[in-house]
Amino acid sequence: NIDIVATTSTISPTSPTGTIAGITGVEKPAQATHEETIHNAWKFYRNVNNLIFDSRVYDYEFQLLQEDPLYPYLNSLVGIADSGMDGYANEHKRISQKVKREYGDTNPHRICHILVREAQHSLEGLKEICAYIGDKLGMQTMAVGPIKKPSQALLKSEKKYGGDPLLVTDYCRASLFVKDVASLLALIE
């Protein structure tokens, strides 16, 4: 951390106090010594180098992961390697929401609201399923929710699925954290 203090002050040669920004009687902050300035500069330099090193470590780990024989398989899975907003409007998605009669004359925004309401009713069941799977696979950490907002679902359907809100299938979401690749494969299956 580098502390830099900049003030406008006038100090008389005979008095330790002076005028700082028009206020009289305020003591001038102590100036950092040359050694402190050098020490702070080196500390800052080390912090920047540590950040650069950390990013290289992550790059190295990701490179190792890419060399793993499972990487092409994991990278090909829809929903794992997919950010959700990639802009693939022409992408063929095999899974979608059920088409219901009530959607016939309904605009996409209203369909998103209906699907969010259904997701809210499904949330408790998703929590139970995740707890069951987590217990079977020995998972320590998982998170369920939040439910996707209608505006987010509509935006995703426009950017990714050509405006079809029935192709948005992640209204109710969960994150499950596994400790090893074997647990990950068991979870996927």
Side-chain angles (χ1 to χ4, degrees):
N1 295 341
I2 298 177
D3 297 324
I4 299 174
V5 178
T7 61
T8 306
S9 64
T10 50
I11 307 282
S12 71
T14 59
S15 169
T17 61
T19 304
I20 298 177
I23 302 172
T24 57
V26 176
E27 291 188 28
K28 180 180 174 186
Q31 293 290 329
T33 65
H34 184 68
E35 286 116 16
E36 290 172 334
T37 303
I38 291 171
H39 175 76
N40 286 338
W42 276 109
K43 206 160 125 183
F44 178 74
Y45 177 75
R46 278 193 307 272
N47 286 339
V48 168
N49 280 333
N50 286 338
L51 290 172
I52 292 169
F53 178 76
D54 288 346
S55 72
R56 288 184 182 148
V57 168
Y58 294 129
D59 289 344
Y60 175 74
E61 291 294 331
F62 184 65
Q63 186 179 13
L64 286 179
L65 178 66
Q66 288 177 314
E67 293 169 3
D68 190 289
L70 284 175
Y71 181 77
Y73 169 70
L74 295 175
N75 198 38
S76 70
L77 295 173
V78 174
I80 291 180
D82 175 22
S83 71
M85 298 301 269
D86 295 338
Y88 295 117
N90 297 324
E91 178 181 302
H92 176 69
K93 186 170 183 179
R94 293 176 292 203
I95 300 171
S96 70
Q97 303 286 343
K98 290 181 182 177
V99 178
K100 297 181 180 175
R101 269 189 225 148
E102 63 192 80
Y103 300 155
D105 296 330
T106 308
N107 67 27
H109 188 262
R110 185 70 191 129
I111 291 173
C112 290
H113 277 279
I114 293 169
L115 293 171
V116 165
R117 193 174 333 111
E118 290 176 3
Q120 289 168 340
H121 294 294
S122 302
L123 187 62
E124 196 57 42
L126 179 62
K127 287 179 183 178
E128 290 173 11
I129 291 169
C130 288
Y132 175 79
I133 291 172
D135 185 48
K136 291 293 180 191
L137 296 178
M139 291 182 196
Q140 301 296 320
T141 308
M142 66 185 77
V144 177
I147 293 175
K148 188 180 291 275
K149 294 178 182 174
S151 58
Q152 294 169 320
L154 188 60
L155 180 65
K156 183 174 182 178
S157 73
E158 289 169 355
K159 282 190 167 189
K160 188 164 182 177
Y161 302 121
D164 186 354
L166 295 178
L167 292 177
V168 178
T169 55
D170 61 342
Y171 287 90
C172 243
R173 306 174 269 191
S175 297
L176 304 169
F177 301 89
V178 296
K179 57 187 171 209
D180 54 25
V181 175
S183 299
L184 175 63
L185 293 175
L187 176 63
I188 291 170
E189 292 302 317

